[in-house]
Amino acid sequence: MDSSEVDVPSHPTEEGVQTSAGKDNDMGQEHENPKDSSVGKSSDSTDTEHNCQSPSASSIDKSQVETNEEECQKHGVSSTNNCEMDVDGEHESQSSEFPPSDVSGAEIVIKDEEVTYVIPAVGMEFESEDHAYRCYSRYAVLEGFSIRKDFVNKSRVNGVVVSRRYTCYRQGYRPAKHCAHVRKPRQETRTGCLAHMTIARQPNGRFCVTHFETKHNHEFVSESTAHMLPSQKRLTFAQAVEADLTNSSRMDGIPKLGMGFDSEDHAYEFYNAYAGRVGFSVRKDYVNRSKIDGAVASRRFTCFREGFRQKDKRDLNVKRSRKETRIGCLAQLVISRQSDGKYRVTHFEEKHNHELVAACRVRTLRSQKKLAVSQVVEGNEQDVIKNQPKPTSELSHNSAGNEHGYNPIDYRSKLSSKRTREVKEGEVERIQQYFQTKQLKNPSFIYAFQLDAEDQITNIFWADAKMLVDYSDFGDVVCFDTTYKLIKDGRPFSPFIGVNHHKQMVIFGGALLYDNTVESFKWLFQTFIEVMSGKKPKTILTDQDAVLAEAINSALPETHHQICVWHVYQKALKQLNHLFVGSDSFVNDLCSCFFGHEEEEDFINAWKVMLDVYGLWENDWLNEIFNDREKWAIAYRRHIFCADIRTAQLSECFTANLRKHLKSDSDVISFFKHLAKMVNDWHYKELEANYDMSQHMPRLIGDVIILKHAREVYTPKIFELFQQEYEKSLNIVVNQCTERALLVFEYKVSIYGQLREYAVIYNLSDETVVCNCMKFEFMGVLCSHALKVLDYRNTKMLTSHYILKRWTRNARV
């Protein structure tokens, strides 16, 4: 190459000229609003019908173009023989010319400042290669895969990038020689996937998509874990949590860019439901249909006050003209059909230029009326509204007449006496201001106050959108912890806690209780259930407190109430600490007695041995709690499902992290912010567990059918527990089998070499099995005794009866 060689393509074109997509764009446009004629305009050769004009919709036509893949010219860039690996691990080659640019595709130029969701297409242009990478990466994370920089082709003249290819992270195969001498080889992630996007620099300096392959040969990760993919690792912790909350925003009911729907009807129902909560009506503004199959390509839903009413000559002869409702509101939601068949949100305008309708009047709006048809009962309008379930954002209203706005103060359940604990001066005002700020940022944030006899705020409850979602998935077992009031000069913090499908800690709500009477607890439990849409927990674990027990029996009569063994154990340490200071052996024996025995006989024997060894037969406190052992000991009430919550890890985790911020002399706002950080930490751990679950399968102890089935169903943590039980079953022998009734058999089983026997009932008609150890009833995983009988009966697969959804990989679905 001589010095006169210039860096131009072998087939030069005029600078700034872009190839047209007119041949391939077969999308017809059928607009229902005659004012929207600017939507979807492309080149002059595009065969479309324009019946409407809409200046606000022109920003979304980038993602509405459908390209006929059969007519697209595919141009791959082949690397030269002198390819070598560059510093980024991608293939680099040098070239003196551009690849051909005569591709058929959409005439679209994506600018760097554009951050809306777009699907790449052949012919699409980007301002820079970095922006092309970011666009493809954003597309990938919403679809569920990661991308890799595969090769770069640079000019030999000035070293600028001529072309570049980005591939799926599962492209190619790992060289075998890399794993030859490694003891623990890395998990194979590459599957030879061919999905990729190739870009080439044009004479105008932009980068054009020359090849775009969308098909993958592997499954995508879920939306909630997509940000954990390798190409998304640069996301910060806060961005990762925010990304997952955005992806789960459909549960919160708030539209987001990139949100997907199976059909346009689903999108309309979602937006209309959102409108009902916010306070406006929805109008179907325009529809854009494809001329190929007539399917909807894009659609816009607007506020009912969008636009302005056109002049009608008939209005001149009307005595009473209709009331003007349209005032040019720009609030809208635009959806476009993507290559995967889903409809995604490409534009969302949240702000309205008018006051929104109060919650109690929403049902009178046109688009909301059909939602209330099935709920209408005989009576006047006020009775209808009174009988409707209140939305969570309308927890309580001022009975004195505050009917048109949210009021968190509950005037219905005032205390009959003054609160028993004083609140620091100015603290309530700071709490109110903090909660109001939270609710402005997120309307799904809920808080409520209870007043005492002097109209002073005495008890406080709050929960955010994530807590509500967690409760809907894992609220079957709740631990209500009041032990923080035992911290000297500490705030009376009482959280509602549970565990998720990874056996990780989640929080369902929090409370500050400055009064510990039965009325206070009843108000808290009733408020909690009301916020959670009326769903009550199956089991609630609490401290040993007579007042608390009375409130639960009154407010939650159908819920099983159990005393938390961890709380009883903590009290035992305090009661006996002066007798055995520094005695590790006593502490170990006491801990083993409380937590180490699941059978009643073992527990009683261990208790007697402890009393003998340390001479505690005359201790009144130990004798008192032993008499109440059926309320707290693990060996009792095993027929009640507790999700295997022992709460030891829950209390330890909470207390260690909150002790400093629970002090009354610390700022209450710092307490709320630290608690929010802790909750985000737990959320992030769940995201990591979800990602690991999607990428790795737990190790099997053998090629066993039932284990393979369980591994596909359970989360890794629960599968580990299940596999341990199966491993124990290998050492269990069947001693006896008797027929108790028709098709009902009783098996006596025991661990090899041990005398203790367990009774397992097997019903042949429905293949159900029940063991008297009641491990499944207590924690939701079959015990080793039941697994032995199932194997004895040649049952090789778990039936759905023994797979609790809360322990499965799809617990959040």
Side-chain angles (χ1 to χ4, degrees), residues 678-813:
M678 288 177 57
V679 173
N680 277 342
D681 288 340
W682 302 333
H683 184 198
Y684 191 72
K685 289 179 180 178
E686 180 180 339
L687 299 182
E688 290 182 320
N690 288 337
Y691 176 74
D692 291 339
M693 178 175 64
S694 67
Q695 298 298 306
H696 309 287
M697 296 295 284
R699 181 186 61 86
L700 293 172
I701 62 173
D703 188 10
V704 183
I705 295 176
I706 196 170
L707 291 182
K708 289 181 178 180
H709 180 215
R711 184 173 67 168
E712 294 175 355
V713 174
Y714 288 131
T715 61
K717 186 67 176 179
I718 303 304
F719 172 73
E720 180 182 343
L721 298 176
F722 179 84
Q723 186 164 241
Q724 290 174 359
E725 291 298 321
Y726 180 83
E727 196 170 5
K728 292 177 184 177
S729 72
L730 300 178
N731 292 324
I732 292 180
V733 294
V734 177
N735 299 324
Q736 184 181 356
C737 175
T738 58
E739 187 172 1
R740 298 182 57 179
L742 181 63
L743 301 179
V744 178
F745 302 89
E746 179 179 359
Y747 292 86
K748 297 289 187 179
V749 301
S750 64
I751 300 176
Y752 180 79
Q754 296 184 11
L755 297 177
R756 169 171 293 170
E757 286 188 332
Y758 297 88
V760 181
I761 307 299
Y762 178 81
N763 192 322
L764 183 60
S765 60
D766 54 8
E767 295 185 345
T768 56
V769 60
V770 179
C771 180
N772 63 355
C773 79
M774 289 181 288
K775 192 179 192 73
F776 177 78
E777 288 76 7
F778 178 74
M779 67 169 295
V781 175
L782 281 175
C783 62
S784 57
H785 322 115
L787 289 174
K788 181 63 180 182
V789 172
L790 289 177
D791 184 68
Y792 189 80
R793 300 293 308 193
N794 293 325
T795 300
K796 302 300 181 183
M797 298 283 284
L798 282 175
T799 60
S800 59
H801 178 74
Y802 297 110
I803 301 176
L804 300 187
K805 184 181 179 182
R806 65 127 43 240
W807 292 137
T808 65
R809 294 168 173 261
N810 297 324
R812 291 280 194 186
V813 177

Side-chain angles (χ1 to χ4, degrees), residues 357-401:
V357 178
C360 58
R361 307 297 182 195
V362 164
R363 291 177 180 83
T364 63
L365 296 174
R366 176 170 296 182
S367 70
Q368 306 298 327
K369 284 183 178 179
K370 64 179 181 180
L371 298 178
V373 169
S374 60
Q375 301 172 345
V376 172
V377 295
E378 295 182 359
N380 58 37
E381 179 184 354
Q382 189 62 35
D383 291 335
V384 173
I385 296 174
K386 187 185 302 182
N387 289 328
Q388 300 303 322
K390 293 183 179 180
T392 55
S393 61
E394 193 187 354
L395 176 63
S396 58
H397 289 282
N398 189 336
S399 58

Side-chain angles (χ1 to χ4, degrees), residues 519-538:
E519 289 76 14
S520 292
F521 286 121
K522 286 176 62 177
W523 170 84
L524 178 62
F525 294 136
Q526 291 169 354
T527 302
F528 177 75
I529 297 304
E530 187 175 354
V531 168
M532 300 302 171
S533 302
K535 178 181 177 180
K536 298 179 181 179
K538 296 179 180 178

Side-chain angles (χ1 to χ4, degrees), residues 396-410:
S396 58
H397 289 282
N398 189 336
S399 58
N402 185 12
E403 189 177 336
H404 299 285
Y406 171 76
N407 190 343
I409 299 178
D410 192 348

